[in-house]
Each structure stands twice: as structure tokens, then as C-alpha cells.
């Protein structure tokens, strides 16, 4: 099922809304922390156990993006969006069955494994197409679409909290909330499937040489053998690990930080905090990625990784003494987290060109798979151990935050090592053009 080629006069500005309809849906993953406390109470789970569906979903996101990237390039964005729709929605339905029957393994299987495949294929489905539509502004184009993934929780967090309040936070209420999610997201994602188009030819842009816009042509198989790819892999992994550690446990984390104080945080306020983080995540994806078109990719990652480490240091030292400081630092960290995701496709385009950039992006997202395990594991495991030792409040997270600072420093060094790809890895332009011509023929 290949997306139809755009007719003459088709506006490229219709493509980002198609991508947004998919990314806003699968971005629900960032609201998982809203379900953690009721699941822990209903099924008698620890914080580490309740993170398993989310962790597996992120692992499958990276793996399905890596193995499915070439298929997405070959079959087109409409095929990819359809696969994402089926997997993501059916994952919620399986999770609903698991919650209703109190079979946690079904929740892990549905939301984590099946839904995670939908996350990965849906995430990369529009990237290559958007870069081809917007060769002059790749950071802005991918930022517009990928901000939907960050902004998905802005909708899903209060929506999920309201459903749990209405349906109940027992296992049956959780099951009904999962069921509604699956059905509504299926309808919403269908809009993207119907709307997406691929460009008929590469669009010329005034005052910009075509070769400069397309970048050097490097195949996906060649790209993964270059040091540039692996430096970016480390950069993405470290940045994601640092951000996802807060995001996955956001609701219980802010509650723990201010428990027993006059600034105690209620469940509804914690859900609001998750929504605020989602807004920062979303704003960072379009704001920072668009800025990278002006200042360069390496410079913007210096900001993400360097200033991000400073924000973690401030939270670890002073976060429990000032709620505004805690919230502001967390918002900055999440804006960098989102910006890192939205900027990396443009970084890849700069280094490897538009030829097979979607497949290269998919392989790079295996870094997200590892980060999706590392971030929640570090934060939850340390918090569980500290809690078992009788510690409370911010002391549950001090060690994990210092680890995050170290990881961001590692990412900063890896970013400094990125250099232009050696010409020996470039494909002949004639071969790239021939391949593009075959892919862009109407089905």
C-alpha cells in the first residue's frame, strides 16, 4: 500500500498534518506514568514492574524502526501508517483484556510488544517523506511532525486521568480506559493514512543548490559502518536516557519530592505536571529543531547535553526546596529531550543525505531501545532500593540524577567527535537519482 504521488499543485503543507495525526496518537506513550499508580495498586506491582510495559514499548519502538526502516522506504508512508494504526490500537485492546482479567503479562504483551511495534513504524513513517518535501528546512519539517509525539501526552495525560476518575482506578476502570484509547486512536490515525502524499519530484528551492539540499548520498548499510553514525547513536542514547528517566516516572516523582511538606502534590496536580512536561517536550521539538537550521546541529546538541547536565545538577541539589525550580528545570530537560529527537533526522540528512535517510533513522533509533530500558531502570530500581532502606522524598532520586549527569557528559563528548562523512562512503549521484526515480513512480 504505497502512498499516492501528489498531483500537480499539491501543497506540501498538507503533509505535516498527516504526520501529526499519527504522532499525536502514538505520543500517548509519554503519558504512561498516569497509569503507574493505579496499576501498582490494582495488581500489587512495584514501581519497577509497572514500568515494564513502557520499557518494552520503547525497546520495540527502536527494534521495529531499525528492522522496518527499509520496508518503510520501499513501501511508502501510507503502508507504514496503516501498520502503525493496526499495531498501536490492537495493543491497547490486548492490554484492556489483561487489565480486566488481572493478567499483567497481557498488558506487557499488548501495550509493550504489539503496541511498541506500532510506535516504531509510526514514528519513522513520515520522516523521509517530510525531508523530501522540505529539503530547505529539514529541522523545521521534522520538528513539526515529531512534536506531535512529544505533545501526545499533553492530550493523553489529562484525558487518561479523567477516564480513571470516571471509570474508577480499579482493574476494570483501567481496562475500560485502555479500550477507549484503542478505539479513539484508531479513528484519529486513519486521518493521516488518508491524507499523506509523496512528492512527484524533488522540489527546487530558490537560491539553494540542489546538491546542497539533498546532501551527500550514503546508503543505510554503509552509514552504519561509519564512526559518525555511532557517535550520533551514543549522543541520542545518552540524551534520551536522561530525559526518559524523568518522563516515565514523572507523576510519582513530583509527588515524592514534596511529600510531607506544605507543597504536597495531589494526583490531579501530578497529572498536570505530566501534561506540562509533554508541552515542553512538544515545544522543544519544533523550537529547538527549527533553531538548529540556523545555528547548526552540533551546536544545538551542545546545548541539549551541556545545559541539560546543569539542570539535573540543580534539581538534585535544590529541587526539593523549591517547587518552581523543580518544575522549571524538568521542563528545560524535557524540551532538550524532545529537541534531540526532532533534530536528529536533520543531523542525519546533513551527514548522509536524503538517500535512505528514513532507513538510517530507523537504525539509529535502536539507541532509543536501550535508553528506554536504561532510563526507567536506573530511576525506578534506585528509588525502590532507597525506599526499602526507609528513605523518602528527594533522597529517592539523588543517586540516579548524578548518573544522568554522567551520561549527558558522555553524550557531549560523542557529539564533539562527529565529523563530515568521508567521500569514500558516498554513492554516485547518478545511482541515487535512478533509485529515487524508481521509488517515485506512481503505484
Amino acid at each position: 500500500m504505497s502512498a499516492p504521488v501528489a498531483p500537480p499543485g499539491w501543497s506540501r503543507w498538507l503533509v505535516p498534518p498527516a504526520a501529526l495525526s499519527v504522532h499525536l496518537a502514538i505520543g500517548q506513550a509519554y503519558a504512561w506514568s498516569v497509569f503507574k499508580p493505579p496499576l501498582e495498586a490494582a495488581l500489587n506491582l512495584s514501581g519497577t514492574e509497572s514500568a515494564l510495559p513502557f520499557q518494552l514499548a520503547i525497546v520495540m519502538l527502536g527494534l521495529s524502526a531499525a528492522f522496518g526502516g527499509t520496508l518503510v522506504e520501499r513501501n511508502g508512508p501510507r503502508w507504514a501508517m496503516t501498520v502503525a494504526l493496526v499495531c498501536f490500537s490492537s495493543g491497547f485492546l490486548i492490554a484492556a483484556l489483561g487489565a480486566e482479567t488481572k493478567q499483567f503479562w497481557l498488558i506487557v504483551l499488548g501495550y509493550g510488544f504489539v503496541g511498541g511495534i506500532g510506535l516504531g513504524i509510526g514514528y519513522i513513517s513520515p520522516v523521509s517523506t517530510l525531508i523530501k518535501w522540505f529539503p530547505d528546512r529539514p529541522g523545521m519539517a521534522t520538528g513539526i511532525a515529531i512534536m506531535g509525539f512529544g505533545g501526545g501526552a499533553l492530550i493523553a495525560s489529562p484525558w487518561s486521568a479523567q477516564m480513571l476518575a470516571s471509570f474508577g482506578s480499579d482493574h476494570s476502570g483501567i481496562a475500560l480506559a485502555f479500550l477507549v484509547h484503542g478505539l479513539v486512536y484508531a479513528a484519529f490515525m486513519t486521518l493521516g493514512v488518508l491524507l499523506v502524499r509523496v512528492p512527484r519530484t524533488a522540489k527546487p528551492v530558490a537560491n539553494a543548490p540542489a546538491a546542497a539540499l539533498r546532501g551527500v548520498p550514503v546508503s543505510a548499510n554503509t552509514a552504519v559502518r561509519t564512526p559518525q553514525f555511532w557517535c550520533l547513536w551514543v549522543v541520542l542514547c545518552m540524551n534520551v536516557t536522561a530525559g526518559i528517566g524523568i518522563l516515565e516516572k514523572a507523576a510519582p516523582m513530583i509527588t515524592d519530592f514534596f511529600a510531607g511538606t506544605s507543597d504536597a502534590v495531589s494526583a490531579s496536580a501530578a497529572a498536570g505536571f505530566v501534561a506540562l512536561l509533554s508541552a515542553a517536550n512538544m515545544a522543544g521539538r519544533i523550537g529547538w529543531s527549527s533553531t538548529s537550521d540556523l545555528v547548526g546541529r552540533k551546536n544545538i546538541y551542545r546545548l541539549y547535553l551541556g545545559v541539560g547536565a546543569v539542570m539535573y545538577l540543580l534539581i538534585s541539589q535544590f529541587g526539593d526546596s523549591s517547587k518552581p525550580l523543580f518544575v522549571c528545570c524538568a521542563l528545560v530537560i524535557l524540551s532538550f529531550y524532545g529537541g534531540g529527537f526532532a533534530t536528529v533526522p536533520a543531523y542525519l540528512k546533513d551527514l548522509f543525505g536524503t538517500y535512505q535517510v528514513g532507513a538510517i533513522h530507523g537504525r539509529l533509533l535502536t539507541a532509543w531501545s536501550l535508553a528506554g530500558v536504561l532510563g526507567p531502570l536506573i530511576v525506578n530500581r534506585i528509588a525502590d532500593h532507597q525506599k526499602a532502606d526507609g528513605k523518602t522524598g528527594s533522597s529517592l532520586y539523588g543517586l540516579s540524577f548524578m548518573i544522568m549527569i554522567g551520561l549527558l557528559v558522555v553524550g557531549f563528548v560523542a557529539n564533539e567527535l562527529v565529523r563530515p562523512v568521508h567521500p569514500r562512503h558516498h554513492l554516485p549521484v547518478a545511482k541515487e537519482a535512478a533509485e529515487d526515480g524508481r521509488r517515485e513512480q506512481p503505484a
Side-chain angles (χ1 to χ4, degrees), residues 32 52-61 91-92 95 105-119:
W32 177 253
L52 283 176
F54 176 82
Q55 287 177 296
L56 182 57
I58 299 302
V59 169
M60 293 310 301
L61 186 159
F92 267 113
W105 70 271
L106 277 175
I107 299 177
V108 175
L109 173 68
Y111 189 93
F113 185 81
V114 179
I117 294 174
L119 287 179

Side-chain angles (χ1 to χ4, degrees), residues 45-422:
L45 305 172
S46 68
T48 302
E49 290 170 333
S50 66
L52 283 176
F54 176 82
Q55 287 177 296
L56 182 57
I58 299 302
V59 169
M60 293 310 301
L61 186 159
L63 294 179
S64 61
F67 290 106
T70 303
L71 290 175
V72 171
E73 288 281 340
R74 182 183 306 145
N75 297 329
R78 175 167 288 183
W79 172 87
M81 290 179 178
T82 301
V83 172
L85 184 160
V86 172
C87 292
F88 187 66
S89 298
S90 60
F92 267 113
L93 302 184
I94 296 170
L97 178 63
E100 181 61 33
T101 59
K102 293 188 175 182
Q103 298 294 316
F104 183 59
W105 70 271
L106 277 175
I107 299 177
V108 175
L109 173 68
Y111 189 93
F113 185 81
V114 179
I117 294 174
L119 287 179
I121 299 299
Y123 189 87
I124 64 173
S125 62
V127 170
S128 178
T129 302
L130 282 165
I131 288 178
K132 289 171 183 174
W133 275 110
F134 294 86
D136 52 326
R137 288 180 281 181
M140 181 212 68
T142 55
I144 289 175
I146 293 177
M147 76 174 181
F149 194 87
L154 189 62
I155 300 170
S157 180
W159 184 38
S160 300
Q162 182 58 50
M163 277 195 285
L164 291 172
S166 301
F167 301 152
S169 57
D170 61 355
H171 69 97
S172 294
I174 296 170
L176 189 54
F178 283 158
L179 177 63
V180 172
H181 275 75
L183 297 177
V184 172
Y185 283 139
F188 193 66
M189 293 171 75
T190 300
L191 298 175
V193 173
L194 298 176
L195 187 60
V196 72
R197 298 288 190 277
V198 295
R200 184 172 297 273
T201 58
K203 296 181 71 62
V205 180
N207 303 320
L213 294 174
R214 295 174 68 81
V216 296
V218 180
S219 70
N221 288 336
T222 300
V224 298
R225 296 195 293 270
T226 63
Q228 288 84 354
F229 177 88
W230 292 106
C231 283
L232 276 187
W233 194 96
V234 172
V235 167
L236 184 63
C237 185
M238 298 301 99
N239 194 53
V240 172
T241 300
I244 212 167
I246 284 184
L247 197 56
E248 188 276 335
K249 201 175 174 64
M253 182 182 291
I254 192 171
T255 303
D256 290 337
F257 253 77
F258 299 98
T261 70
S262 57
D263 287 331
V265 178
S266 65
S268 60
F273 175 62
V274 175
L276 275 177
L277 292 181
S278 178
N281 189 353
M282 179 175 64
R285 289 171 188 245
I286 181 61
W288 294 126
S289 62
S290 296
T291 302
S292 77
D293 287 335
L294 303 175
V295 304
R297 320 303 173 195
K298 179 175 283 191
N299 286 333
I300 205 71
Y301 273 97
R302 286 168 174 155
L303 178 73
Y304 300 156
L305 299 161
V307 177
V310 173
M311 294 297 103
Y312 258 115
L313 182 62
L314 289 175
I315 290 180
S316 65
Q317 299 300 313
F318 310 109
D320 59 347
S321 62
S322 172
K323 189 183 293 182
L325 176 66
F326 177 91
V327 172
C328 288
C329 289
L331 292 178
V332 172
I333 290 171
L334 264 295
S335 77
F336 293 160
Y337 169 83
F341 277 121
T343 308
V344 82
Y347 211 160
L348 290 172
K349 180 261 181 188
D350 293 346
L351 292 169
F352 304 111
T354 60
Y355 179 72
Q356 294 193 338
V357 68
I360 298 171
H361 185 221
R363 286 160 171 77
L364 191 76
L365 290 181
T366 54
W368 197 354
S369 292
L370 179 60
V373 174
L374 281 181
L377 182 64
I378 290 169
V379 174
N380 284 290
R381 182 63 61 86
I382 291 176
D384 286 346
H385 284 174
Q386 299 286 60
K387 191 175 294 185
D389 291 339
K391 296 183 179 180
T392 59
S394 62
S395 60
L396 297 174
Y397 304 99
L399 177 58
S400 59
F401 285 178
M402 297 308 294
I403 293 173
M404 297 303 179
I405 293 172
L407 295 178
L408 287 170
V409 171
V410 171
F412 190 94
V413 172
N415 182 54
E416 294 302 306
L417 296 176
V418 175
R419 298 290 185 272
V421 176
H422 194 280

